[in-house]
Amino acid sequence: MNRIMLTLLMLAAGVAFSLLAQANGDEHEPGLAREANVIKAVGLMRFFHPHDAVEAVDWNAVLLEGFVLAEDADNDKAFAQSLTDLLGDLGAGIKISGSESEFSPFNGSTCGSYDPAVRWVHLGFGASPMAESSGIYSSRRSVSGVEESEEGEQFSTAMKHWPAPAWRERSLSLSAQARVVGEGQAALWARVDGPGGQTLFFDNMADRFIEGEEWTEHSIDFEVPEQAVSIMFGVMALESAQAEFRSVAMHDEEGATLLSTTSQWSLVAPQSGHEMEVEHEPDGFEIALLPRSPEPRLAAIDQYIPEDAPHQAMIELVDGSRLWVPLTLCQSGSELDDAQREMLADRFGAPDLEQLSPAELARLDVASLWPVVRHFYPYQELVDDWSGLLHAALESSIEVDDRKSHRRVLQRMLSVLKDSHINVIDRDESSQIEQALLPIDLQAVDGELVVAASQDTDRVQVGDRIVAVDGEPAAEWISDRLAHHSGPHHRNMWRAGFDLLRGPKGEKTTLKLARNDQRIEIELVHELDQLLAVRTGDPVDELVEGVVYIDLDRIEQPELDRALSDLDEPRALVFDLRGYPSGLQPGFLGRLMDREDDFEGWMRVLVAQGPNGDLVEGERFEWGLPAIEPRIQAPVVFLTDASAISYSESILGLVKYHGLGTIVGSNTAGANGNIQTVNLPGAFRVIYTAMRVIGPDGEPFQGRGIEPDV
């Protein structure tokens, strides 16, 4: 019986699909239970079985073939055997056993030095082509005892990143004296990016690299185009060169120096790269990039996978049998010859996804995304029932008939992760509609959306409450939006407000407002390209004598450097951290610190030692900010709210940990750590938090955020 007919019969019988499905397969509609088996088994093979075949096939084709088996098998036992046969064609050692019998375990230690063990090592999640490059995340098959080298030309750089708006249509000059001690090459570099990451200017001195031990003068002069979004610049050492720079400075067209003592440099270096030493002198920075002592470079399997990690995984199938999949293979048993690779590539070539119905495409996206978050999401404890989550998403995918309902299935599936970073973006060109914002801004207050700013104060006033949206009561409208957002309630309310503001450009939205005892109905047009500003004063202001206000959401790095350098012992200092301070370096916090930052290891990349969220710690990171003289002794206040997310929360985490000031406002978003971007076959892009972060109280940060002191 096909799925459409089955759905119609169930609806006719008055059976409603529940979005809160139970975990056990036998409590679900049999077809969905089989499909769930396909998704779990294929996800396990794709990301954990270390055979060459897993990189020779198109996994969309494998999933679609598995779904055909689920629909066509005469009974559950026949389905279980056919699924095992399918996966057996894609690897080695795939076995099925009865419900009571155990499959003889494979032990990777039986592989000798002549035939070493092979295993997938996921540092975070970086499996191509789903995962986009995110620097610190990687997924690769690793061979025990085999040294693994970095790919491509190696270099280390001390760099800075600025937002570009303050410098548009202006001339800048990066200059320094430089030398190379011994053999090797070095360079200055600068890059200007525009919308969508488009490179507008780039110069890394590739045609004039710095060589030799004599100090020489160098500069890069460039114009910042009107459409520029970001500016990046720095100094670099190629390969293992020891590079030294002095009088490193950035100047504008009038010769003003744009780097101050509070400017912090970031070191970006490969595993066998460089250490950085930085000093500030009156004429600029002195920077040394010193090559690290060579160290043995362990294979990832030897470096990250514990000795007691499991060597196989098991999935219970719908007929009660068990599917066993090796997680480790000896190298000789993991290889394909060219003929085998070509045969698999022909059998499991890329399918024509345009031939799938909207419901089938949504099911394929669920099947691709669920294993990623199930195996690699760094806060596994936040989800009570992963199997129920999968079944609910499969059930709801049956009803998908357009891009909007497709997106909502993915949003609902991800909503339980309590991750405010999560966003589901439709990349289908035919679905793209130019968006614009209403000429107001909103604030969430006590479960309602309240006007916080208005461009038309005659019709809409600050303090007006939204009581209906296009005729729908506001409470119901908000409740529907909350169901499609991940994260804590206070952040989801903030996102619901943004959902109301954003819509197709030129489209009208009718709002009913409550103002005192009045009820006012108005029609507003989505017409603004940018959010209406609530804060419109100068980003640096003296509120009253000696009380200095700095808006970190709107200030540029050079202006912040100048403002802090010019401070003359204020009576009090107020930093506004409502929002996201794009491009600002955290070094300014050093002016508030009485000791070096010792908040260590609060950013953590996890390693999957096995499937189903079996994660162990892989890498730790921290900022390690230095204390900077002269220290600001005045009382300090940080303003914040639910719009503060990620980097803003990192700053506030150090404020909280070191007691650098009083935090005033409302709870922050509760999502921190580097994101990962996953591209789905249905042309949706999903963003989620891929790093585990520890809050200043020593507890996991996700879903909690920074609580204000006042």
Side-chain angles (χ1 to χ4, degrees):
M1 182 181 296
N2 65 45
R3 294 171 59 85
I4 297 175
M5 182 62 69
L6 176 62
T7 302
L8 291 174
L9 289 174
M10 294 182 74
L11 289 175
V15 179
F17 284 117
S18 169
L19 291 177
L20 298 174
Q22 302 300 312
N24 298 324
D26 58 5
E27 296 181 15
H28 295 279
E29 188 269 313
L32 294 182
R34 291 182 186 178
E35 289 180 1
N37 273 178
V38 171
I39 293 168
K40 291 177 181 180
V42 171
L44 175 60
M45 287 286 296
R46 179 177 190 176
F47 299 127
F48 290 97
H49 187 57
H51 198 276
D52 281 359
V54 303
E55 294 181 326
V57 302
D58 185 288
W59 285 98
N60 295 326
V62 177
L63 282 166
L64 292 174
E65 185 165 328
F67 291 146
V68 171
L69 298 179
E71 294 172 358
D72 291 350
D74 292 334
N75 53 61
D76 287 344
K77 184 176 181 179
F79 160 72
Q81 186 60 58
S82 62
L83 177 62
T84 304
D85 293 341
L86 169 65
L87 299 181
D89 291 340
L90 301 173
I94 314 300
K95 302 291 184 182
I96 190 170
S97 69
S99 59
E100 300 301 325
S101 59
E102 293 290 333
F103 173 56
S104 178
F106 175 85
N107 190 338
S109 63
T110 60
C111 301
S113 58
Y114 62 91
D115 192 14
V118 182
R119 190 180 181 108
W120 273 100
V121 178
H122 298 279
L123 195 62
F125 175 69
S128 178
M130 286 187 69
E132 292 192 355
S133 174
S134 293
I136 59 176
Y137 306 129
S138 64
S139 294
R140 59 190 180 277
R141 287 185 298 148
S142 179
V143 181
S144 181
V146 177
E147 215 173 84
E148 295 174 357
S149 61
E150 300 282 345
E151 296 182 359
E153 183 181 44
Q154 299 303 301
F155 65 90
S156 299
T157 178
M159 66 168 292
K160 296 182 67 59
H161 176 273
W162 286 352
W167 310 105
R168 288 172 179 163
E169 299 186 289
R170 296 180 61 179
S171 301
L172 299 179
S173 177
L174 174 66
S175 61
Q177 298 176 15
R179 68 174 184 173
V180 177
V181 179
E183 298 294 323
Q185 298 174 315
L188 281 61
W189 65 274
R191 187 173 112 187
V192 181
D193 283 354
Q198 177 189 7
T199 301
L200 305 178
F201 170 84
F202 180 64
D203 185 355
N204 65 352
M205 299 182 60
D207 58 346
R208 58 192 190 284
F209 281 137
I210 302 164
E211 298 177 334
E213 298 193 5
E214 297 295 323
W215 288 101
T216 51
E217 298 272 357
H218 304 274
S219 66
I220 295 177
D221 304 323
F222 58 99
E223 303 285 332
V224 182
E226 182 181 4
Q227 69 270 36
V229 173
S230 66
I231 303 169
M232 287 160 282
F233 60 90
V235 299
M236 67 178 180
L238 277 68
E239 302 294 345
S240 58
Q242 177 176 326
E244 298 179 0
F245 306 84
R246 66 188 186 191
S247 303
V248 180
M250 181 74 82
H251 300 282
D252 63 14
E253 63 269 16
E254 298 173 356
T257 301
L258 306 179
L259 300 176
S260 73
T261 56
T262 60
S263 294
Q264 186 174 2
W265 295 83
S266 300
L267 174 66
V268 179
Q271 181 179 339
S272 59
H274 292 69
E275 297 176 351
M276 176 178 67
E277 294 182 356
V278 179
E279 297 288 341
H280 188 268
E281 301 296 336
D283 61 344
F285 284 89
E286 290 189 0
I287 302 175
L289 294 174
L290 308 174
R292 296 191 184 111
S293 301
E295 296 179 359
R297 301 181 63 188
L298 293 174
I301 183 175
D302 302 320
Q303 184 176 0
Y304 295 112
I305 302 299
E307 290 184 2
D308 60 351
H311 291 288
Q312 63 178 359
M314 182 272 291
I315 295 174
E316 186 167 343
L317 301 179
V318 289
D319 69 334
S321 63
R322 296 176 177 183
L323 176 72
W324 298 89
V325 177
L327 307 180
T328 308
L329 291 174
C330 298
Q331 188 173 29
S332 62
S334 69
E335 297 173 338
L336 286 176
D337 60 33
D338 290 342
Q340 292 170 320
R341 189 181 300 273
E342 185 176 348
M343 180 182 67
L344 284 174
D346 286 342
R347 178 181 171 188
F348 297 104
D352 184 359
L353 300 182
E354 293 185 358
Q355 299 302 311
L356 299 181
S357 69
E360 290 169 333
L361 195 58
R363 178 181 61 177
L364 187 60
D365 275 359
V366 168
S368 302
L369 179 59
W370 182 88
V372 172
V373 291
R374 176 61 184 110
H375 298 314
F376 306 111
Y377 185 55
Y379 298 94
Q380 292 282 314
E381 70 274 14
L382 296 180
V383 180
D384 296 327
D385 181 5
W386 285 99
S387 290
L389 185 66
L390 174 58
H391 281 280
L394 286 173
E395 286 181 334
S396 55
S397 70
I398 294 172
E399 304 299 326
V400 167
D401 56 7
D402 58 17
R403 300 293 292 181
K404 182 178 180 180
S405 57
H406 185 158
R407 180 171 181 254
R408 288 201 163 195
V409 166
L410 301 176
Q411 287 177 315
R412 282 186 177 272
M413 183 174 74
L414 297 170
S415 65
V416 300
L417 301 186
K418 301 180 176 64
D419 183 0
S420 296
H421 270 145
I422 282 178
N423 196 7
V424 180
I425 303 163
D426 190 346
R427 298 184 298 122
D428 181 57
E429 292 185 3
S430 64
S431 302
Q432 301 307 310
I433 300 174
E434 187 177 4
Q435 302 287 301
L437 300 163
L438 295 178
I440 58 175
D441 193 21
L442 299 170
Q443 179 77 36
V445 181
D446 294 335
E448 295 184 305
L449 295 176
V450 180
V451 176
S454 172
Q455 195 177 66
D456 184 355
T457 54
D458 290 337
R459 296 199 302 151
V460 186
Q461 297 180 10
V462 172
D464 288 348
R465 294 182 293 114
I466 310 296
V467 295
V469 179
D470 289 329
E472 182 179 5
E476 296 177 13
W477 187 93
I478 291 171
S479 178
D480 177 69
R481 294 311 184 277
L482 294 182
H484 295 92
H485 287 306
S486 190
H489 178 78
H490 64 277
R491 172 69 180 187
N492 290 347
M493 282 293 299
W494 181 88
R495 294 184 73 174
F498 188 76
D499 289 345
L500 177 52
L501 296 177
R502 190 169 182 265
K505 191 166 188 175
E507 189 172 283
K508 298 176 181 179
T509 294
T510 301
L511 300 177
K512 181 177 286 187
L513 308 175
R515 183 184 306 156
N516 299 322
D517 294 330
Q518 295 179 282
R519 293 294 183 269
I520 303 163
E521 189 165 285
I522 61 165
E523 193 176 70
L524 297 176
V525 179
H526 295 274
E527 57 186 349
L528 300 186
D529 294 329
Q530 294 184 341
L531 193 66
L532 185 64
V534 176
R535 311 194 297 270
T536 56
D538 293 332
V540 179
D541 194 10
E542 189 170 25
L543 303 179
V544 296
E545 184 179 354
V547 178
V548 178
Y549 167 88
I550 299 177
D551 189 342
L552 295 176
D553 190 43
R554 295 188 294 137
I555 199 170
E556 308 291 345
Q557 183 72 52
E559 189 178 4
L560 175 62
D561 292 342
R562 287 195 298 270
L564 294 178
S565 297
D566 294 343
L567 281 178
D568 186 19
E569 280 306 315
R571 287 170 49 207
L573 188 58
V574 179
F575 288 108
D576 199 333
L577 199 46
R578 294 173 291 175
Y580 190 93
S582 175
L584 288 187
Q585 297 292 325
F588 74 94
L589 293 175
R591 291 288 305 274
L592 310 178
M593 295 163 57
D594 59 5
R595 70 182 194 278
E596 185 176 346
D597 174 25
D598 60 352
F599 186 20
E600 298 179 345
W602 51 276
M603 295 178 284
R604 303 176 183 181
V605 178
L606 305 184
V607 170
Q609 68 169 352
N612 300 321
D614 186 5
L615 305 174
V616 296
E617 195 171 291
E619 298 280 3
R620 285 187 170 205
F621 303 92
E622 62 278 322
W623 281 354
L625 300 178
I628 299 175
E629 296 293 340
R631 182 177 171 235
I632 296 171
Q633 302 282 352
V636 179
V637 167
F638 285 82
L639 305 179
T640 194
D641 63 9
S643 66
I645 188 172
S646 199
Y647 180 49
S648 301
E649 296 180 295
S650 295
I651 293 174
L652 290 170
L654 263 68
V655 170
K656 199 87 163 180
Y657 179 84
H658 289 285
L660 303 182
T662 301
I663 300 174
V664 176
S666 56
N667 211 95
T668 62
N672 199 5
N674 289 37
I675 62 171
Q676 179 57 288
T677 300
V678 174
N679 294 313
L680 300 178
F684 283 91
R685 173 175 292 159
V686 172
I687 296 169
Y688 74 99
T689 303
M691 175 189 285
R692 190 173 178 90
V693 170
I694 302 301
D697 59 358
E699 297 297 322
F701 188 83
Q702 194 79 338
R704 298 189 305 123
I706 300 294
E707 295 183 8
D709 301 309
V710 179

